[in-house]
Amino acid sequence: RAPHRGAPLPYRTLAGVVPCPAGWLAATAKLQGISVSPESPQVFSTFLEVLDYKPAFQIIALFAPVGLPGEPGAGGRTCDREARRLLGWPRSGAISSAPTRKAVSATTYESAAVANGGRLSIVSWNGIRRIREVAAEMSPYWQRTIFEVHPELSFFQLNDDQALKFSKRTAAGREERAALLRNRMPGIERVVDARFRRASAAHLIDAAACLWTARRLVTRAVSRLPENPEWDDEGLRMEIVR
């Protein structure tokens, strides 16, 4: 299913999108010239609603696996392993290995674990339904619009390629990340300071970081892990951009 293209707009529409308990949290913005205007965050119940939103998002920086491995491997995809090496311990612990495509399509935890080489945490299993939504809609054409990102890689880039001191699970870590965003992206307070019942403060900060990378994607200023991407069995690039 190809994205619908309507009449050209006088601005670019960007979104940083992360999974959350209520669905998908989107930090959105309009980019006109070099000026980016963040908007109030919103939650979509399904990934399909993100894709069908009007006016359509021209760049989506998505915190979810896009290209999926056909077979299980130690440490996941090359992009997962390279992301961990780049971040270093302990921030590398934030990078999960993408499940195999067979695991994503499995209907029970037991069958998903077998399809994933016998290794699948309950946390990963609980997140598979969101990955399944993405897998159902993705095609190579969509990779002109949708790019896999990871908030910790976005913050690493924001912090001049230095590891952050604190985990985002702590108040100090959330403030450390919010301060980086406020310093580099005027107006992002609309996202990181939002009082939002359908998503946590950590989700809002992650979505804002993804929006920062969406802004970098427009100017083609991103780096890719790996530099030469692998391709999955569906013809999708297995890469993370930052």
Side-chain angles (χ1 to χ4, degrees):
R1 189 169 79 86
H4 172 72
R5 301 297 184 192
L9 297 168
Y11 50 81
R12 306 289 296 272
T13 49
L14 316 178
V17 178
V18 304
C20 67
W24 296 91
L25 172 66
T28 64
K30 292 181 174 67
L31 176 67
Q32 192 161 17
I34 61 171
S35 299
V36 63
S37 301
E39 302 168 317
S40 297
Q42 53 189 312
V43 168
F44 297 89
S45 297
T46 67
F47 188 64
L48 182 58
E49 290 178 19
V50 177
L51 302 185
D52 283 346
Y53 186 74
K54 299 294 184 292
F57 299 119
Q58 293 167 300
I59 295 290
I60 297 173
L62 177 68
F63 178 27
V66 173
L68 297 171
E71 299 296 333
R77 305 168 298 175
T78 299
C79 57
D80 301 326
R81 297 192 300 273
E82 289 198 7
R84 291 188 199 103
R85 281 196 294 269
L86 185 66
L87 291 174
W89 183 258
R91 300 285 80 80
S92 58
I95 308 295
S96 300
S97 296
T100 65
R101 191 168 293 278
K102 289 178 184 177
V104 169
S105 62
T107 56
T108 67
Y109 170 76
E110 290 75 16
S111 59
V114 170
N116 210 50
R119 300 180 301 274
L120 187 70
S121 69
I122 293 297
V123 172
S124 296
W125 168 245
N126 290 337
I128 272 182
R129 61 178 178 145
R130 300 288 181 225
I131 302 173
R132 189 181 297 130
E133 287 185 62
V134 175
E137 303 300 333
M138 281 302 301
S139 66
Y141 189 94
W142 271 110
Q143 285 195 301
R144 304 178 186 186
T145 301
I146 300 169
F147 298 84
E148 180 179 341
V149 302
H150 195 290
E152 285 304 299
L153 291 173
S154 298
F155 285 118
F156 184 82
Q157 190 278 326
L158 273 163
N159 199 37
D160 297 324
D161 286 357
Q162 298 292 320
L164 275 68
K165 294 180 180 178
F166 306 109
S167 166
K168 72 176 181 182
R169 293 182 176 86
T170 67
R174 291 189 291 275
E175 182 50 40
E176 180 183 25
R177 287 159 177 77
L180 284 169
L181 289 161
R182 292 188 193 102
N183 289 338
R184 300 289 290 276
M185 203 171 186
I188 201 62
E189 293 85 359
R190 297 193 72 180
V191 180
V192 298
D193 294 339
R195 295 292 179 264
F196 207 52
R197 294 180 61 185
R198 302 185 71 191
S200 70
H203 287 118
L204 290 163
I205 289 169
D206 279 351
C210 294
L211 179 60
W212 165 259
T213 301
R215 171 69 180 85
R216 285 170 52 79
L217 276 157
V218 172
T219 59
R220 306 188 183 206
V222 292
S223 302
R224 298 171 184 270
L225 299 176
E227 193 171 313
N228 296 309
E230 300 172 308
W231 306 80
D232 74 3
D233 294 339
E234 301 291 319
L236 297 167
R237 295 190 305 276
M238 294 190 288
E239 65 179 6
I240 305 174
V241 302
R242 68 179 188 95

